[in-house]
Amino acid sequence: MRVLVVEDERSFAETLRRGLMAEGFSVDLAHTGTEGLWAASEHTYDVIVLDIMLPGLSGYEVLRRLREAERWTPVLMLTAKDGEYDEADAFDLGADDYLTKPFSYVVLLARLRALLRRGAPVRPTVLTAGDVRLDPAARTVHKGQKPVELTAREFGLLEFLLRRRGEALTKTEILRHVWDAHYDGDENVVEVYVGYLRRKIGADTIETLRGVGYRLRAD
């Protein structure tokens, strides 16, 4: 079984690696949130052990981006943060289990084996708002019973809006997630593509928030 451990304390991470390998696991290490996100996105793992306090990207942000990208590998959050709100935040973002340091190694192994027995859970994949439905796996969009043809960029924009439906989103946020994190062109391109979507899925589906950005109506 292949495990990714994302932990910035190198000696602790190495101890975990040796212990898990002794139990028959194949273990990869990452020491920053950025490295962990890349590894989890580029490779297939049976389970991920993810610290919260990481340089680069926090464990919360790594988890959020993985779930946003429809990667459902079971994730065990391993952290020194023991507040009930921290634990709730982890589960809300899609964590499968949560273990606080210091911990019993026997308990860690038992938790990992339980996650491996369950495997990656089946998650809903069709995103909806009103009569608009988007299936990321099939790459299809419907308004009511009618299929809607979208370009790749229009599809990416609609998917992002659906995943954050009901939220006020700035043009900068949209550019960072749908275009590129380092995009430095004219941000009015967002306005252009919102216009394209409105013509295809309904003018009242996407609201303009003056001075803020846009919001996909939750209903």
Side-chain angles (χ1 to χ4, degrees):
M1 294 295 171
R2 194 174 184 191
V3 179
L4 172 65
V5 175
V6 188
E7 167 61 59
D8 64 324
E9 295 180 31
R10 291 176 180 266
S11 61
F12 179 62
E14 181 60 27
T15 298
L16 275 182
R17 188 186 70 83
R18 289 198 301 267
L20 291 172
M21 289 181 66
E23 296 292 328
F25 292 94
S26 173
V27 183
D28 289 345
L29 296 181
H31 300 299
T32 70
T34 306
E35 292 174 0
L37 178 62
W38 181 87
S41 300
E42 294 296 319
H43 304 291
T44 300
Y45 294 97
D46 296 291
V47 66
I48 298 170
V49 178
L50 179 62
D51 192 16
I52 288 179
M53 303 300 289
L54 293 167
L57 297 172
S58 72
Y60 289 138
E61 181 64 13
V62 172
L63 179 60
R64 186 189 70 77
R65 295 192 189 187
L66 287 175
R67 297 313 189 220
E68 188 176 75
E70 302 281 337
R71 299 191 73 90
W72 306 120
T73 307
V75 172
L76 173 80
M77 303 298 283
L78 190 64
T79 177
K81 296 168 70 73
D82 61 355
E84 59 183 15
Y85 290 106
D86 297 315
E87 186 171 350
D89 286 343
F91 285 123
D92 284 343
L93 287 168
D96 298 275
D97 205 349
Y98 186 102
L99 194 57
T100 303
K101 303 174 186 175
F103 59 88
S104 161
Y105 188 68
V106 173
V107 171
L108 172 65
L109 286 174
R111 297 280 187 91
L112 290 179
R113 290 185 179 121
L115 290 178
L116 290 168
R117 284 195 299 272
R118 276 186 267 162
V122 177
R123 317 265 181 161
T125 57
V126 177
L127 307 173
T128 63
D131 62 350
V132 176
R133 292 181 295 111
L134 181 148
D135 186 332
R139 304 289 294 181
T140 59
V141 175
H142 286 79
K143 182 172 175 58
Q145 299 301 313
K146 182 181 178 181
V148 180
E149 294 295 327
L150 299 180
T151 66
R153 187 72 74 189
E154 291 167 351
F155 188 94
L157 175 57
L158 179 59
E159 182 176 0
F160 179 62
L161 291 172
L162 282 166
R163 291 188 186 282
R164 304 282 292 274
R165 66 179 186 172
E167 296 182 31
L169 301 169
T170 66
K171 289 181 180 180
T172 301
E173 285 180 282
I174 294 171
L175 284 171
R176 187 169 65 246
H177 286 86
V178 180
W179 270 258
D180 184 89
H182 305 291
Y183 177 82
D184 60 358
D186 189 345
E187 68 176 15
N188 285 329
V189 69
V190 175
E191 183 177 340
V192 173
Y193 274 85
V194 166
Y196 294 158
L197 279 183
R198 282 172 169 159
R199 287 196 287 273
K200 293 183 177 183
I201 65 172
D204 62 344
T205 306
I206 304 171
E207 299 176 274
T208 297
L209 305 176
R210 299 298 178 189
V212 179
Y214 299 97
R215 176 172 58 205
L216 187 76
R217 292 172 59 91
D219 57 355

